[in-house]
Structures are given as C-alpha cells and as structure tokens.
Amino acid sequence: MIKFIILIQTVFSVWFLNLCSAQNIEPAIKIRFRVESSVTSTSENGKFAYHYNVVCSSSSEQKIWLFGVFIATSIPVNDIKSPQNWAGDLAPRGAVSWGGLGASGRISPGDSLNGFSFNSPALPAILDSYAQGFVPLPLPVDHVDETTSAQPDFEQDIVRFTTMGPSSFTFTNSISAISHLITLKHQAYSLGWISGPGAEGIVNSLDAKLDAALKAAQKGKDKTAQKEFKAFLNEIEAQKNKTFNNNVYQLLKLNAEYILGKLAA
C-alpha cells in the first residue's frame, strides 16, 4: 500500500508544483516532532530489530501523516511492521517509509504513535529520519480524493530528525571497526546524546579507552584491545540514563559488543 501512496505522490508532483504556485498551498512542514528509537539484538538470527515512536508536539500546527528513516539502498531490511491505519514498505528514494491510510492514519498534535519497526542485519548508526504534515488539497479537485495530502516537492517539503537506523558500514578488520566506533561516539556527542554534568569528562574517558584499544589492535595485541573494550562497555553501563540517553547507550553498546566478539574470535 505504501508503494501505491508513494507512486501517487510522484505522479502528481509536477501538477502539485503548478497548483501550489497558483493557489498558494501551505507547506507540509509546519510540524514539530521527535522520534524515540530503540534497537535490540535478536541473537537467534543475528539481526537487529529497529523500533520507532513518533511524538507530535502539542505546538505542531499540522498532523503527521508520513514518517520514514533514510537508509542506504544496499542495506537488507525485512519484517517491516506498521501501526494500525498505517502501511510501511521500502521506498524507491532509499528509505523505510510509512504512510497514514485516511483520516485515522494521522498523528495529532500532542499525540504519539509507536509500532513502526523493521529488522536488519546491519549494526545501528546515526541516520536521518523525516516526517511530513498533512495538507488537504484545495477544492474542487474532481479526480483526487480530498483526503490526499498535497506534496509539491518531497525533499523540500519534509522535516528531518536524527535517529538510529541500520548502518552501511561493513566490517573488514578490527582497526577500521574501532575507528568507525570512535566516529559514532563523536557524532553522538555533537548531537547532545551525551550531556549533563560531567559529560565532557565521560567523553574524554571513553576516548582514552577507544584510543588504547585502537593502538593495541594496530600492534596485533587483541587481548589488550579486548580488555579496553570491556572497560569501555562497563563505563557505558554506568552512564545509562545519566549522561547517556537511550540512543547513544544502545548505539555504542551494540557496536562495541560486536567488535569485542570479533576480537575474541
């Protein structure tokens, strides 16, 4: 169903552009929202389950009818699940996308909706998600259902938000994997996912452990690198719900556990 919705959006794209210029349709970006994400490891099949809860702020001027997570088209994704009155699928633009079905498939200001999920073998990384507000088409429009949302230009008519999703990173060796984890940690800190009293000191401590693990791996001292990773994981556990929000806790923990497993193999 979502593929059909996306197809309709594409077919009417040029028509909407002309219509917007002629009738001054409001943009579908008058929304305020956040995305709460969580990732769990499904050890029985080596996959990760990605879950999302979309929270529409009470100050949002529009309801939300479209939500998605941008991913690389090369990443395997399956078991896409949707809340009631929503449909999800892989979108041609490179995203797992969900669309609301009719008036019941919208998130009103002050409400939230969970049940958006999918599985992937790819480790979590920091990705962009997006949402779009519902904008009724101007009437009369004889050949289009009036509940359809007007969408002049997808890339310019969405609101982006950073969240977690499957990474395109491919493990080749422990050195590149540790360097990748260091990059993820820096990105998370810059996004404010590590914050609060003492956050800078915690980040420096994590840096020291990862730097030591990287140097050990570069010298072929895998047991020393394992020791540093175990200390890194212990510090992550100690900062859960303190300086770490849920995003960075799961992001660093799952990636570090994966690398530790490779070092121990």
Side-chain angles (χ1 to χ4, degrees), residues 123-127 167 169 177-191 193-194 210 248 251-252 255-256 259:
L123 284 159
I126 299 172
L127 303 180
S167 170
F169 173 79
I178 296 170
S179 298
H180 175 66
L181 181 57
I182 291 172
T183 299
L184 288 178
K185 194 272 305 170
H186 287 323
Q187 288 178 328
Y189 183 49
S190 68
L191 289 169
W193 291 4
I194 305 174
L210 290 178
V248 71
L251 176 74
L252 298 184
N255 277 276
I259 296 172

Side-chain angles (χ1 to χ4, degrees), residues 4 14 22 30 52 60 82 125 138 140 148 177 222 244:
F4 174 74
V14 175
K30 295 182 179 180
Y52 302 93
S60 181
S82 312
T148 303
D222 286 352
F244 279 20

Side-chain angles (χ1 to χ4, degrees), residues 9 14 26 34 37 45 100 113 132 154 167 179 193 203 230 246:
Q9 293 171 347
V14 175
E26 66 175 313
R34 71 178 189 274
S37 59
N45 56 18
L113 187 63
Q132 187 180 66
F154 178 81
S167 170
S179 298
W193 291 4
V203 168
K230 289 176 181 177
N246 189 58

Side-chain angles (χ1 to χ4, degrees), residues 13 19 25 34 39-40 42 57-58 76 86-89 96 143 171 179 188 209-210 213 236 246:
S13 178
L19 189 64
I25 297 175
R34 71 178 189 274
V39 185
T40 55
T42 55
S57 171
S58 57
W86 286 67
D89 211 328
V96 180
H143 56 290
F171 182 91
S179 298
K209 292 176 176 62
L210 290 178
I236 290 174
N246 189 58

